[in-house]
Amino acid sequence: MFDNLSEKLDKALHVLKGHGQITEINVAETLKEVRRALLDADVNFKIAKEFTNKVKEKALGQNVLTSLQPGQLMVKLVKDELIELMGGETEGINLSGNPSIILMSGLQGSGKTTFSGKLANFLKTKKTKKPLLVACDVYRPAAIDQLHVVGDQLGIEVYSDKGNSDPVAIAKAGIAHAKANGHNVVIIDTAGRLAVDDAMMKEISNIHKAIEPQETLFVVDAMTGQDAVNTAKAFNDILNFDGVILTKLDGDTRGGAAISIKSVVDKPIKFIGTGEKMDAIDVFHPSRMADRILGMGDVVSLVERAQEQFDEEEARKIQKKIAKNTFGFDDFLGQIQQIKKMGSLKDLMGMIPGAGKALKGLDIDDDAFKHIEAIIHSMTPEERSNPTVLNASRKVRVAKGSGRTVQEVNQLLKQFNQMSKMMKMMQGGGGKKMMQMMGAMKGMR
């Protein structure tokens, strides 16, 4: 996500490195490269020009503090302007109704149906709500089936009426069902098209007027770049929606939509989709995204994810085992599972300041721990709890059972011992410990 933009902005801002002061010449040179980086990321030319003009106005005439280099000041100015361009403040979701009604809109293929499920799961697990999904795509039976599959997977009820071809009637019936069955959030998945057309816009406008939702969200595929911004504008002219959801930000996206969509439609980005799993949904924070774009990482989000998976009782047990030197491979497997629940490994490593540049060009597979798990599962319970019993013959058996080599088994044992010593040295601090463990385990891939 944003890898190409981050690299180009980093090169552009290095133009000022070593300069003793900010001048009109070196600012112009730097911002020329910044504007080029934004255009390459598919940011609208007018927005890119306005962006660099604002940074230039703030940069020229400023005295560089003794604690700052000119390059550092420029990074701060670019960061501040990026935050402003992407919306400034984090926007929450309006859940004031009883039930709260959320209308999902967007083109076919944008990930609308899948994200409806993700949002329902987010509200269920993070906001302790009881959501109901309502299938209003009367043109594609597969979309209704897909929503039911998603709902079954998440344990969330789905309301549908395949015999009814009136989406307005289905939406109203779904809301009535929610009221009768104690659902306090209703998420209505509407039909999409391959392109904006009058029939679709009229239909969703009719649904909007009939149900008067607290939130109308526009779902857009971030990988479509500037087209995403144009489509958002077309929908907003009809619906006057409340916020944007950007999906597929984990893909090969240039980032132009995320950066410029707020400026065009004057509506905040509320959520982003960061993967295929049903928990791959994040609240959009402009300041954190600006940090990631500029290669500064996103430690706050990383710690939040770690804390979500952090079990205090389990942590106390682990601490006791570490103190007594009884931390074994079963405990290690549990830690791996916790980290895997936090999200894609590449995404997590990108949240660590400086890691994005270090990992450039490195493909971090989400199954990176698969062979480690295979080796551990090939051990007997005794070997997992007390790795010191693994002699040469046992290692051969474990290697054969896991489909790995004896050298890989030895390497895992060596790195496990090193990590165990490190964990004993740094007991305390759940989120910090989790991040340091991740760094140690990265070398085990």
Side-chain angles (χ1 to χ4, degrees):
M1 180 172 61
F2 300 118
D3 289 347
N4 193 42
L5 175 60
S6 297
E7 181 186 359
K8 289 184 177 180
L9 283 176
D10 182 59
K11 288 180 180 177
L13 294 169
H14 265 72
V15 171
L16 279 172
K17 190 176 181 181
H19 286 267
Q21 61 182 348
I22 286 180
T23 68
E24 189 162 355
I25 293 174
N26 58 37
V27 164
E29 188 180 353
T30 299
L31 292 180
K32 179 181 176 182
E33 294 303 315
V34 168
R35 184 163 59 247
R36 185 176 293 167
L38 293 173
L39 293 174
D40 285 346
D42 208 14
V43 174
N44 177 274
F45 175 80
K46 182 181 177 183
I47 294 172
K49 187 176 180 181
E50 289 175 354
F51 179 92
T52 50
N53 284 343
K54 287 179 182 178
V55 175
K56 182 179 179 180
E57 288 174 14
K58 293 177 181 178
L60 292 177
Q62 285 211 31
N63 293 320
V64 180
L65 300 174
T66 54
S67 60
L68 289 176
Q69 296 295 325
Q72 293 173 324
L73 179 59
M74 185 60 78
V75 169
K76 180 186 182 303
L77 294 176
V78 169
K79 177 187 170 182
D80 290 346
E81 201 56 43
L82 272 175
I83 293 171
E84 190 64 30
L85 185 61
M86 291 188 291
E89 298 296 324
T90 302
E91 294 278 350
I93 188 167
N94 182 3
L95 298 174
S96 59
N98 188 24
S100 304
I101 302 170
I102 302 170
L103 180 64
M104 309 294 284
S105 63
L107 294 181
Q108 187 176 317
S110 62
K112 177 165 47 62
T113 299
T114 300
F115 203 91
S116 295
K118 288 183 180 182
L119 181 58
N121 186 52
F122 174 86
L123 295 175
K124 176 185 176 182
T125 57
K126 305 288 177 65
K127 303 292 183 181
T128 62
K129 296 292 183 179
K130 184 183 177 183
L132 174 73
L133 289 161
V134 179
C136 282
D137 187 345
V138 298
Y139 308 103
R140 288 194 313 128
I144 298 174
D145 294 338
Q146 180 189 354
L147 199 62
H148 275 283
V149 169
V150 167
D152 289 343
Q153 181 183 341
L154 298 171
I156 294 172
E157 187 180 353
V158 177
Y159 179 88
S160 65
D161 185 356
K162 285 189 177 182
N164 195 336
S165 61
D166 182 357
V168 173
I170 296 171
K172 286 182 173 180
I175 294 168
H177 180 86
K179 290 178 179 178
N181 292 275
H183 296 278
N184 48 21
V185 177
V186 180
I187 299 174
I188 298 176
D189 180 34
T190 61
R193 302 285 200 284
L194 293 175
V196 175
D197 62 46
D198 292 339
M200 175 179 67
M201 301 311 286
K202 184 177 180 181
E203 179 180 291
I204 196 162
S205 178
N206 288 340
I207 298 173
H208 187 272
K209 289 175 184 175
I211 64 174
E212 298 182 344
Q214 278 70 45
E215 281 279 355
T216 303
L217 301 175
F218 174 70
V219 183
V220 62
D221 181 346
M223 294 180 71
T224 57
Q226 200 56 44
D227 285 343
V229 179
N230 297 333
T231 306
K233 188 176 186 309
F235 268 81
N236 192 51
D237 289 343
I238 299 295
L239 278 180
N240 190 27
F241 55 70
D242 300 294
V244 177
I245 290 172
L246 282 177
T247 61
K248 305 178 187 177
L249 269 177
D250 57 315
D252 187 20
T253 174
R254 290 186 287 174
I259 293 172
S260 55
I261 202 165
K262 168 66 169 65
S263 177
V264 173
V265 298
D266 196 28
K267 297 294 167 65
I269 301 171
K270 296 205 171 187
F271 292 96
I272 55 175
T274 56
E276 295 180 2
K277 295 180 180 178
M278 282 297 135
D279 58 357
I281 170 177
D282 285 331
V283 174
F284 184 76
H285 299 278
S287 60
R288 299 185 194 180
M289 189 59 71
D291 280 341
R292 295 188 71 174
I293 289 172
L294 293 171
M296 299 175 184
D298 184 2
V299 174
V300 176
S301 292
L302 182 59
V303 171
E304 284 178 354
R305 289 198 194 182
Q307 288 174 336
E308 286 173 8
Q309 303 302 327
F310 185 68
D311 185 318
E312 290 189 21
E313 181 60 33
E314 184 64 25
R316 278 193 286 270
K317 291 179 182 177
I318 292 293
Q319 282 186 324
K320 288 180 181 177
K321 288 189 175 186
I322 293 169
K324 295 178 180 179
N325 285 323
T326 58
F327 181 84
F329 275 113
D330 283 323
D331 305 306
F332 181 51
L333 274 176
Q335 299 300 301
I336 289 178
Q337 294 307 315
Q338 281 191 333
I339 290 173
K340 286 169 72 173
K341 288 179 184 176
M342 288 168 61
S344 107
L345 293 177
K346 189 168 186 178
D347 188 37
L348 294 176
M349 296 307 296
M351 292 181 181
I352 300 172
K357 192 184 295 184
L359 296 171
K360 181 174 170 22
L362 183 63
D363 184 26
I364 302 178
D365 191 346
D366 279 346
D367 289 330
F369 295 133
K370 185 184 287 185
H371 74 268
I372 295 175
E373 293 171 293
I375 292 173
I376 296 172
H377 284 305
S378 296
M379 297 177 186
T380 65
E382 181 191 9
E383 290 164 349
R384 289 199 295 270
S385 62
N386 183 18
T388 57
V389 303
L390 281 160
N391 56 26
S393 62
R394 286 176 181 249
K395 289 176 186 177
V396 171
R397 191 202 75 248
V398 169
K400 287 180 178 179
S402 60
R404 314 307 297 186
T405 65
V406 174
Q407 287 79 5
E408 286 174 302
V409 175
N410 283 328
Q411 183 184 23
L412 175 60
L413 288 169
K414 179 181 178 182
Q415 291 172 325
F416 176 78
N417 289 331
Q418 290 172 341
M419 192 191 71
S420 297
K421 290 176 183 177
M422 180 188 72
M423 289 174 67
K424 189 170 184 179
M425 290 171 59
M426 61 166 195
Q427 284 190 60
K432 183 178 179 182
K433 181 169 70 177
M434 185 75 76
M435 282 186 284
Q436 292 194 32
M437 274 186 61
M438 259 179 46
M441 295 198 322
K442 183 168 79 82
M444 295 184 182
R445 292 189 345 272

